[in-house]
Amino acid sequence: MARLRVDSVIVRIPKWVVVVYTALAILLIPWTIYMGWTLPTHHLSVNWDISWTGLDIALIIAFLLTGLAAYTKSLWIVISSTTVGCLLLVDAWFDVMTEHQSPEFARALLTGAAVEIPLALLSYYVAAHALQRVHKHTKHKR
């Protein structure tokens, strides 16, 4: 078992988690290089609308779960707000990259810089703040 130390509380994490996730990261490197070299720079997608709508629905769910976790003072806010941050960064990345050669590029860049990235950073702050509160609470409980 690998151990993760949080305060003086030790969380036991099975060694397979370390092995599997590290192996997946390593295996993804050659795959990513291969895809980068072989994928066409231009590709039409049949389900473009469903892809973007699905991402927005995932964002709606993550925002709602974060609001609910905040309302109920649940530690799940760490996961939900981190998920919001990740989805917002993915949204900004794909907005900018897919509009790079279009007249919508300036809008995508502005939206990413002024809305999506700041909201992602706020979401990460919320997660970090919740973890700090847990840290202080367990520290004072002893």
Side-chain angles (χ1 to χ4, degrees):
M1 289 262 167
R3 293 177 177 211
L4 172 66
R5 189 168 186 90
V6 180
D7 285 345
S8 64
V9 178
I10 296 175
V11 179
R12 296 180 193 280
I13 300 172
K15 285 186 180 178
W16 68 262
V17 173
V18 176
V19 172
V20 168
Y21 281 86
T22 303
L24 288 171
I26 292 168
L27 289 171
L28 195 55
I29 293 169
W31 174 252
T32 303
I33 293 168
Y34 169 76
M35 295 299 282
W37 284 105
T38 60
L39 283 175
T41 56
H42 180 76
H43 176 77
L44 296 178
S45 176
V46 179
N47 295 315
W48 183 256
D49 55 343
I50 296 170
S51 299
W52 282 110
T53 304
L55 180 62
D56 288 341
I57 290 170
L59 263 168
I60 291 166
I61 292 168
F63 275 125
L64 286 172
L65 289 174
T66 302
L68 179 64
Y71 178 76
T72 60
K73 297 181 174 122
S74 169
L75 192 55
W76 284 98
I77 196 164
V78 174
I79 294 171
S80 62
S81 62
T82 301
T83 301
V84 167
C86 291
L87 288 171
L88 285 167
L89 292 179
V90 167
D91 194 1
W93 172 261
F94 282 102
D95 278 344
V96 170
M97 296 311 295
T98 58
E99 299 296 346
H100 186 68
Q101 299 286 335
S102 87
E104 292 291 314
F105 179 68
R107 181 207 49 81
L109 201 57
L110 181 63
T111 303
V115 178
E116 292 160 334
I117 292 173
L119 282 175
L121 294 174
L122 175 65
S123 297
Y124 295 138
Y125 168 79
V126 167
H129 181 72
L131 287 174
Q132 286 175 340
R133 300 285 294 174
V134 169
H135 171 77
K136 287 180 183 176
H137 179 70
T138 48
K139 190 175 180 180
H140 293 299
K141 242 184 160 178
R142 284 185 229 145

